[in-house]
Amino acid sequence: MSNVIDHASRSHALLSASSAVRWLACTPSARLEEQFEDKGSPYAAEGTLAHEIAELKLRKYYTEAMAKSTFTRRLNKLKKQEHYQEEMLKHTDTYLEYLQEITLAMDSVPYVAIEKKVDFSSYVPEGFGTADCIIISKNTLYVNDFKYGKGVQVSAEDNPQMKLYALGAYLEYSFLYPIEKVHMSIVQPRLNSISEYEITIQELLQWGDEIKPIADKAFKGEGEFSPGDHCKFCKAKAVCRARADEYSALDDFHQMKPPLISNDEVGLILEKAQGLDSWVKALKDYALKESLKGNEIPGWKAVEGRGSRNFIDQDKAFKELQEKGIKEAMLFERVPLTVPKIEKQLGKKEFRELVEDAGLVQKSPGKPALAKSSDKRQAITNQVDAKDDFK
Ligand code: SF4
């Protein structure tokens, strides 16, 4: 999960499945992180609650004979929690419906385990985690993950977190079931995303053998610090020296001649500067916290931000204003909703019938934007082809 907030991170394994992308890429990061406090975030709390609602629904459907009244009572209890949002009901339904679609298509009753603790310590020292839902039918092991976060879309393809859960599940169930294939899925309903990936057991076990020595290094805190995309989920992201060195290496370009840099250098600098924004943000957050603690960050200090004014009782204030002759039009703005918002309100089908089919919606091309060459979209230019020009 993360902003990929992982439910399984409730467990406190040093090498957790949810942080595997990071410790596999930067082995000393797991030990380095130990010196940082584990602070929860509102997003994590939201994710945990959404998981509890999903768990209740799955248990009722798959594993527990639960009276309707018991279900309602338990759900109402969850609804009273601070981070509850009405949309959690809809999104957990999407997750349950996805699983139902899988299991209803099976011609025999599958084995289902919900919130299953899995142990993958044969591959990763002290490695364990909690898989959201494990399903086994015939020779296929299904490992399903529900992600409530919407910050980053997570793909199931080659996803180390999913593969570690799969290894743990395989170790637990291979004595009972003739597992030959693993089907992994990540359901991320707030991003309308369901990602699936399938591999054979041989491929999974081979991957497990490949990561074993890396996990051993990570457990011992050995290896090279290796900055990259994964840094954004690292607790050391603000003050890690390797990350700072990566960005300060931009200085190297000052030594380059001639005075104007070439397109090759532009590409190189952009490559190096990726993630600079998020690094500077992490540094600022860190410096603010330090300043508030009374620790000095030379050249910087914490100050009170700009305050805001709000009505204590908006209804009362508006009533007062209108009684004094202020017109309603001066108090409210009527702003039309955008196409995506209206489509969301009406649903795709009704929106298409009412306005799209009537030719009332036009699609304009987006503004040209810079993307990495690995981006799936096709490259564009504004240069007219010489042949077209001639025609
Ligand atoms: S910030 Fe990046 S480079 Fe530094 S320890 Fe964390 S993952 Fe490794």
Side-chain angles (χ1 to χ4, degrees), residues 22 26 28-29 32-33 225-228 230-232 234-238 240-243:
R22 181 177 43 71
C26 176
S29 62
L32 188 72
E33 269 201 333
F225 287 100
S226 170
H230 47 270
C231 293
K232 56 178 175 267
C234 181
K235 286 188 201 138
K237 66 184 174 190
C240 167
R241 182 166 304 282
R243 199 174 186 216

Side-chain angles (χ1 to χ4, degrees), residues 212-228:
K212 239 177 176 175
I214 306 175
D216 285 340
K217 255 192 196 173
F219 191 71
K220 291 181 197 145
E222 294 172 352
E224 297 287 315
F225 287 100
S226 170

Side-chain angles (χ1 to χ4, degrees), residues 249-257 261 265 268-269 272:
L250 285 169
D251 280 351
D252 301 347
F253 289 92
H254 291 313
Q255 315 304 326
M256 289 189 174
K257 304 279 176 185
I261 58 172
E265 288 162 74
L268 271 172
I269 295 174
K272 273 188 173 279

Side-chain angles (χ1 to χ4, degrees), residues 172-245:
E172 170 128 8
Y173 296 111
S174 55
F175 299 104
L176 295 168
Y177 299 93
I179 300 168
E180 285 171 21
K181 278 187 293 179
V182 187
H183 181 280
M184 292 166 265
S185 71
I186 296 178
V187 181
Q188 212 172 352
R190 287 165 94 199
L191 290 178
N192 248 333
S193 164
I194 294 180
S195 172
E196 297 176 307
Y197 183 61
E198 198 168 286
I199 52 174
T200 63
I201 269 304
Q202 287 74 22
E203 286 168 323
L204 178 72
L205 297 178
Q206 192 188 330
W207 178 81
D209 287 337
E210 281 163 17
I211 62 142
K212 239 177 176 175
I214 306 175
D216 285 340
K217 255 192 196 173
F219 191 71
K220 291 181 197 145
E222 294 172 352
E224 297 287 315
F225 287 100
S226 170
D229 260 5
H230 47 270
C231 293
K232 56 178 175 267
F233 303 121
C234 181
K235 286 188 201 138
K237 66 184 174 190
V239 284
C240 167
R241 182 166 304 282
R243 199 174 186 216
D245 287 349

